[in-house]
Amino acid sequence: MRALRPSSTADQKSGPPPVWLMRQAGRYQREYREIRERVSFLELCRTPDLAAQVTVFAVRQLEVDAAIIFADILLILDELGLGLRFEENHGPIFEKPVRSLADVDALPEVPVHENLAYVGKAIEIAVKELGSTPVIGFAGAPFTVASYAIEGGSSRNFTRTKCFMYQEPVAFERLMTRLTDATIDYLKMQIACGASCVQLFDSWVGCLSPFDFDTFIAPHMKRLFDSITPLSPSIYFGTTTAGLLEPMSATGPDIIGVDWRLDLDRAWSLIGQERGIQGNLDPVVLLSDRATIKSHASRVLEQAAGRPRHIFNLGHGILPQTPVDNARYLVEVVRELGSR
Ligand code: CP3
């Protein structure tokens, strides 16, 4: 995947970095909202033509260097029988959260990659339409997905998740193993359908201490990246991970995704200059004006200092109230500043 696998040999400035934005397809777009008036979010994810359409539209509207397939990290839990629904202004809710060893053992043995074949179909359609623009596949990382399974929805401090991890270590381990197996199969299917790169969203892993990450999470992530690395480049993204970057990076992804709470040059000094970094503009910057966007984008580029293994992105998903013009301007200004 040329656009997102920057060369690791040269250290000189090599033009602007590739740029795309997390959650680049979503409610901030009028065209997306119009589709959502007709179909629910889950229907949209499960209809390959429509999912591909919003994926491709975001690339054309923003003129970014990569697509990310339109889907969600929680679909896999619905296949595992947890009963996912999205309530207006309420986020995701699971009917049957996982709270005991018996709950983990009761998870059905289903071929998740077959049940989620509609995501693969959407990738095939998007790849065909986009030609040389790479399509990124993705999944939630097992910890972040487990946190939704255990909490039964979104959470602020992950108390239930951590208590389960500490007090039911056997059950937690078994849940992580099940989710890791399912995620590997799911990502292999996406790669077989044409994804040129995969991103693991571990959005909430930053709630853990380095010791807990090494003890409970790292072995699963190592196994996951060992399985995926021969097939595709990978991005491992999390937020508030300043204290975890070294152990995260040691699990084996090609690229680490970081948020704005850590300067990029500092991130590189933690994980080694040879590894790729994706990030890290604060998405709130896109709610301001052009001059502010330009100065913040310029600061990110200065910290990246033309390193060949930088992918420009936000530090977390684009916010629903973002003006489309500001997102377009960011992409434009990254190209302009990056080619100086
Ligand atoms: O364009 C893209 O980036 C691809 C699509 C994508 C979505 N979700 C679509 C979506 C991706 C990559 C995700 C990942 C995802 N989903 C994460 C990890 C990234 C992150 O934000 O930390 C998480 C934690 C989820 C779980 C999730 N999905 C929640 C908590 C919610 C409800 C809150 C919200 O933002 O609405 C969703 C719904 C969701 N996923 C929407 C979209 C476009 C909004 C649905 C709608 O109302 O149309």
Side-chain angles (χ1 to χ4, degrees):
M1 193 185 69
R2 290 195 48 211
L4 284 184
R5 205 208 282 263
S7 115
S8 55
T9 47
D11 210 25
Q12 73 272 22
K13 238 177 150 34
S14 49
V19 51
W20 67 280
L21 308 182
M22 287 186 282
R23 293 275 192 113
Q24 63 195 18
R27 284 165 300 196
Y28 75 105
Q29 298 165 303
R30 178 177 48 79
E31 295 79 357
Y32 175 88
R33 292 194 300 273
E34 282 169 7
I35 292 175
R36 281 279 287 101
E37 278 169 23
R38 292 189 276 118
V39 297
S40 71
F41 171 63
L42 287 176
E43 260 177 278
L44 175 49
C45 291
R46 289 173 178 146
T47 312
D49 282 330
L50 280 181
Q53 184 187 324
V54 301
T55 301
V56 170
F57 179 78
V59 172
R60 303 219 162 115
Q61 184 170 54
L62 301 183
E63 299 183 52
V64 281
D65 295 310
I68 180 158
I69 196 61
F70 190 85
D72 200 85
I73 67 165
L74 302 178
L75 298 171
I76 205 163
L77 288 180
D78 199 43
E79 296 305 332
L80 290 174
L82 272 67
L84 169 63
R85 65 178 199 277
F86 282 90
E87 283 188 0
E88 208 60 45
N89 304 322
H90 219 88
I93 296 174
F94 289 98
E95 233 161 82
K96 291 201 241 164
V98 175
R99 302 261 163 90
S100 67
L101 184 60
D103 290 344
V104 177
D105 287 341
L107 294 174
E109 292 285 346
V110 288
V112 159
H113 55 292
E114 287 176 22
N115 296 7
L116 294 173
Y118 58 82
V119 176
K121 292 233 167 58
I123 291 174
E124 284 171 353
I125 299 168
V127 166
K128 211 183 253 174
E129 287 206 22
L130 286 167
S132 62
T133 302
V135 175
I136 301 170
F138 75 90
F143 173 75
T144 289
V145 173
S147 80
Y148 283 95
I150 297 163
E151 305 282 342
S154 299
S155 171
R156 203 172 272 268
N157 47 23
F158 305 96
T159 312
R160 258 190 218 277
T161 306
K162 292 193 209 176
C163 282
F164 191 71
M165 189 174 85
Y166 296 136
Q167 299 193 315
E168 304 258 13
V170 172
F172 184 80
E173 163 73 20
R174 214 173 277 178
L175 176 60
M176 287 291 287
T177 301
R178 283 295 309 274
L179 292 175
T180 304
D181 289 342
T183 305
I184 290 170
D185 288 347
Y186 180 39
L187 290 175
K188 283 184 174 170
M189 180 274 285
Q190 294 184 40
I191 296 162
C193 289
S196 336
C197 174
V198 293
Q199 174 154 329
L200 274 300
F201 283 91
D202 217 346
S203 305
W204 315 131
V205 75
C207 74
L208 297 178
S209 70
F211 177 82
D212 287 346
F213 181 86
D214 276 337
T215 308
F216 297 107
I217 313 304
H220 302 281
M221 293 309 297
K222 278 201 182 97
R223 185 161 71 86
L224 199 157
F225 288 122
D226 282 350
S227 305
I228 296 304
T229 299
L231 307 173
S232 159
S234 55
I235 305 170
Y236 188 17
F237 165 79
T239 65
T240 61
T241 55
L244 295 181
L245 279 199
E246 293 149 283
M248 281 175 75
S249 161
T251 63
D254 295 289
I255 293 159
I256 288 278
V258 297
D259 73 14
W260 60 93
R261 296 173 182 91
L262 183 65
D263 286 342
L264 289 189
D265 44 4
R266 172 117 180 84
W268 258 298
S269 71
L270 287 170
I271 66 173
Q273 304 295 328
E274 70 291 343
R275 205 174 290 269
I277 294 190
Q278 173 174 280
N280 71 342
L281 189 84
D282 186 337
V284 173
V285 168
L286 291 185
L287 307 186
S288 64
D289 54 86
R290 288 190 166 208
T292 308
I293 293 168
K294 186 169 187 174
S295 75
H296 281 74
S298 157
R299 197 151 36 237
V300 171
L301 289 166
E302 271 164 29
Q303 283 171 17
R307 285 179 182 82
R309 311 204 85 198
H310 177 221
I311 297 172
F312 194 103
N313 207 316
L314 304 176
H316 206 170
I318 199 164
L319 296 164
Q321 62 271 46
T322 304
V324 169
D325 271 353
N326 284 358
R328 284 174 51 85
Y329 177 70
L330 172 65
V331 174
E332 191 187 310
V333 86
V334 166
R335 296 228 172 88
E336 178 200 318
L337 295 167
S339 37
R340 279 189 195 159

